[in-house]
Amino acid sequence: MSRRFDLPGLIPVFPLPGALLLPRSRLPLHIFEPRYLAMLEDALKTETRIIGMIQPDPLSGSDKGLHRIGCAGRVTQFSETEDGRYMVTLTGLSRYRIESEVESFSPYRRCNVSWAGFECDLDGAESDDLFDRDRFMAMLDRFFATKDLSADWSTLKDADDELLINSLSMLLEFDPEDKQALLEAPSLQTRRETLMTLMEYAMRGGGGSEDRIQ
């Protein structure tokens, strides 16, 4: 699912603070609200099976405000529980920019989006030529120790650069605005640098995201 012409101009969006999806990464979702069950059912009827993850924007002045940039994923796995909930896996395709929200009688939100500027998301795995893996893993070890976290180090060490950086960006607990900064990073190198800055700041006992990423 990397064909650019398959990406529609109108997509359903799923606002979820702190949830980060990146291209070629997988995001598990537990869907149980009726409006999002309807969204999933409608998405499964389409060829692309696309759902756009997006973060609410607390600085927009509206409780319905959204960040302009999100990432769309294709439903690649789903299973239904006995009580009607769904366990879903989204596989990241490409980031997008919201152009306008469509007003309709749909129970979930839909937006007109542009994929322009994110062509690299569809071009295969990114590389980071300046990635000092030994230094990064040493910092990650200190970060996990500081936060009293455990990890499958053999899996982390075997992961390729993009999978390692993107997975950590998605899984580590940072403020939603920090997650948005990781999403909007223009390259894998920039995302890795942002991730390292956030880990360093957290280890120093830093506070809110407004002091971290400008």
Side-chain angles (χ1 to χ4, degrees):
M1 179 58 191
S2 61
R3 296 170 294 172
R4 290 188 179 91
F5 57 80
D6 277 343
L7 299 177
L10 176 64
I11 64 171
V13 296
F14 190 173
L16 193 60
L20 179 62
L21 177 63
L22 292 167
R24 291 169 295 280
S25 299
R26 294 181 179 181
L27 177 67
L29 292 172
H30 177 203
I31 297 180
F32 55 89
E33 289 187 50
R35 56 180 166 169
Y36 296 126
L37 289 172
M39 178 188 68
L40 175 62
E41 290 173 1
D42 288 347
L44 292 174
K45 296 174 185 176
T46 67
E47 179 185 3
T48 55
R49 302 205 300 269
I50 281 179
I51 292 174
M53 299 304 299
I54 193 77
Q55 290 207 120
D57 183 2
L59 302 179
S60 67
S62 167
D63 59 359
K64 293 186 176 181
L66 301 173
H67 277 284
R68 307 312 296 173
I69 295 176
C71 184
R74 177 177 170 87
V75 178
T76 51
Q77 291 182 336
F78 66 95
S79 61
E80 186 177 6
T81 63
E82 292 183 358
D83 57 0
R85 294 172 293 135
Y86 278 90
M87 307 303 292
V88 172
T89 298
L90 284 187
T91 299
L93 295 174
S94 172
R95 289 169 291 178
Y96 62 86
R97 188 182 304 274
I98 290 178
E99 295 187 324
S100 63
E101 185 165 353
V102 174
E103 298 294 335
S104 71
F105 293 107
S106 169
Y108 54 87
R109 301 171 73 174
R110 298 186 301 158
C111 291
N112 292 309
V113 301
S114 171
W115 309 94
F118 302 113
E119 289 82 6
C120 62
D121 291 352
L122 297 168
D123 287 340
E126 286 190 80
S127 60
D128 178 358
D129 295 337
L130 298 180
F131 188 24
D132 185 338
R133 196 178 182 96
D134 290 339
R135 175 173 174 249
F136 182 86
M137 295 303 290
M139 174 183 287
L140 188 63
D141 187 25
R142 295 195 304 274
F143 177 82
F144 274 48
T146 299
K147 297 298 180 179
D148 195 24
L149 300 172
S150 59
D152 183 345
W153 289 103
S154 61
T155 298
L156 291 175
K157 290 176 181 177
D158 290 341
D160 63 40
D161 294 351
E162 184 187 63
L163 179 61
L164 176 65
I165 294 167
N166 285 355
S167 296
L168 290 170
S169 296
M170 292 172 60
L171 293 172
L172 295 181
E173 292 189 8
F174 298 118
D175 288 347
E177 293 304 300
D178 293 335
K179 292 280 192 175
Q180 190 67 24
L182 290 165
L183 171 68
E184 296 186 17
S187 67
L188 187 65
Q189 177 184 332
T190 309
R191 184 171 299 124
R192 184 258 305 164
E193 292 169 348
T194 302
L195 179 61
M196 294 179 74
T197 298
L198 292 172
M199 288 194 294
E200 287 175 345
Y201 196 83
M203 285 188 288
R204 294 200 303 267
S209 60
E210 66 274 9
D211 299 323
R212 306 179 200 178
I213 303 298
Q214 302 292 331

